[in-house]
Amino acid sequence: MLSQADDFLTETEVLHDAIADISDADLQQITQFKGWTIEDVLIHLHFWNTVADFSASDETAFMTRMKGAMASLQKTGSLRSFENDTVPERGAELRDIWLRSAQDMATRWRDMDPKARLPWVGPSMSARSSMTARQMETWAHGFEIFDLLGQSRADTDRIQNIVVLGVNTFGWSHQVHNLPVPKTLPRITLTSPSGAIWTFGEEGSDSVTGSAADFAAVVTQTRAFSDTNLVASGPISTTWMTHAQCFAGPPETPPAPGSRYKKT
């Protein structure tokens, strides 16, 4: 059973609940993320949920969609226009189809072999990794919506999937920023939403300690490291936390201190 499918669906439903009753006009509110509106976020999430679903169910459709996306990226330097053109729904209709599609996807993916290999941009991914990425994107982009609405999201231990992804992309975070990859992962000690302690890495002079939610926020670049209560000890940990990037694509600059926050 692919438990991450249920975590992805829960993440989607939590975000949907936050925006279920707002008007089409309110979906046009601008978030703190690159000037995207709430509607832009839903278009992006629905587009990539569909692409991930195609990777498991229709490889021809997957390759067609990816070919168009890469052509748009090369031509314009952005995927936004292609995403907008590919997803025609807007307003409440978009919100509804995004939710229904996620529910349908999670139901089918729940019974998949977690180790099944699926095509993606570059190397293939396991079904578990692909579904974790969908949960991560939903959680990360949900952040700017919760911030805009002045709401606090109640995280649970399903956030562990995102934490593990952040740990596993330690090397990638350095590579994508053209930094040398350290030989040893720092000791990571995090307090989960339930109060459990999660540890990773080796004992040594470098360490990262704090809440699992703060760690997830830093590796997804939804908060500046200095705006969290994480403590990084040692040069390896400090460099990592100020460049962490758990998602694929070109190098992205983490948000500036104070630029991402919950509005009141």
Side-chain angles (χ1 to χ4, degrees):
M1 181 177 178
L2 185 59
S3 62
Q4 286 77 10
D6 288 326
D7 294 330
F8 157 69
L9 179 56
T10 300
E11 211 69 70
T12 299
E13 291 175 336
V14 167
L15 178 55
H16 178 268
D17 287 347
I19 60 174
D21 298 324
I22 68 175
S23 67
D24 286 7
D26 284 340
L27 289 174
Q28 296 299 320
Q29 294 178 87
I30 298 174
T31 73
Q32 296 166 1
F33 178 75
K34 298 183 178 181
W36 286 20
T37 65
I38 297 176
E39 189 171 78
D40 289 331
V41 172
L42 298 184
I43 290 170
H44 177 78
L45 291 176
H46 182 53
F47 176 91
W48 288 104
N49 288 351
T50 301
V51 171
D53 200 19
F54 281 157
S55 75
S57 61
D58 190 337
E59 189 166 348
T60 299
F62 168 79
M63 295 303 297
T64 299
R65 190 66 56 89
M66 289 308 304
K67 183 178 179 180
M70 293 304 101
S72 175
L73 185 62
Q74 291 179 352
K75 182 178 180 180
T76 67
S78 171
L79 295 171
R80 298 297 301 130
S81 60
F82 186 71
E83 292 175 2
N84 289 338
D85 291 344
T86 305
V87 178
E89 296 84 5
R90 295 294 184 270
E93 183 183 11
L94 169 64
R95 181 177 55 206
D96 291 346
I97 195 171
W98 159 67
L99 176 64
R100 291 198 309 272
S101 296
Q103 291 169 332
D104 174 63
M105 182 179 179
T107 298
R108 289 181 285 102
W109 280 58
R110 188 177 293 131
D111 296 326
M112 286 180 61
D113 177 1
K115 297 181 180 180
R117 303 305 299 182
L118 304 174
W120 198 243
V121 183
S124 63
M125 299 175 66
S126 69
R128 178 186 287 113
S129 293
S130 182
M131 187 52 71
T132 297
R134 300 321 313 142
Q135 180 196 356
M136 179 273 293
E137 279 243 73
T138 305
W139 185 86
H141 282 295
F143 228 115
E144 58 249 34
I145 294 176
F146 280 98
D147 283 345
L148 174 66
L149 300 178
Q151 298 184 23
S152 295
R153 175 172 43 197
D155 285 311
T156 71
D157 282 7
R158 69 177 179 273
I159 203 175
Q160 186 174 37
N161 298 322
I162 303 170
V163 168
V164 170
L165 181 61
V167 172
N168 290 344
T169 51
F170 170 72
W172 163 252
S173 291
H174 289 78
Q175 291 170 351
V176 73
H177 290 283
N178 293 316
L179 296 169
V181 179
K183 295 181 179 179
T184 304
L185 177 72
R187 182 65 167 180
I188 306 163
T189 305
L190 304 172
T191 303
S192 73
S194 69
I197 303 300
W198 298 336
T199 59
F200 309 87
E202 305 295 331
E203 292 284 1
S205 58
D206 276 84
S207 64
V208 178
T209 59
S211 77
D214 276 351
F215 180 83
V218 169
V219 298
T220 58
Q221 295 189 356
T222 57
R223 284 291 187 272
F225 169 61
S226 61
D227 289 338
T228 71
N229 291 321
L230 289 178
V231 176
S233 298
I236 294 175
S237 297
T238 301
T239 298
W240 179 28
M241 288 293 94
T242 53
H243 293 84
Q245 177 174 327
C246 74
F247 47 87
E252 294 285 352
T253 303
S259 64
R260 300 285 299 272
Y261 56 90
K262 184 178 72 173
K263 292 190 174 182
T264 57

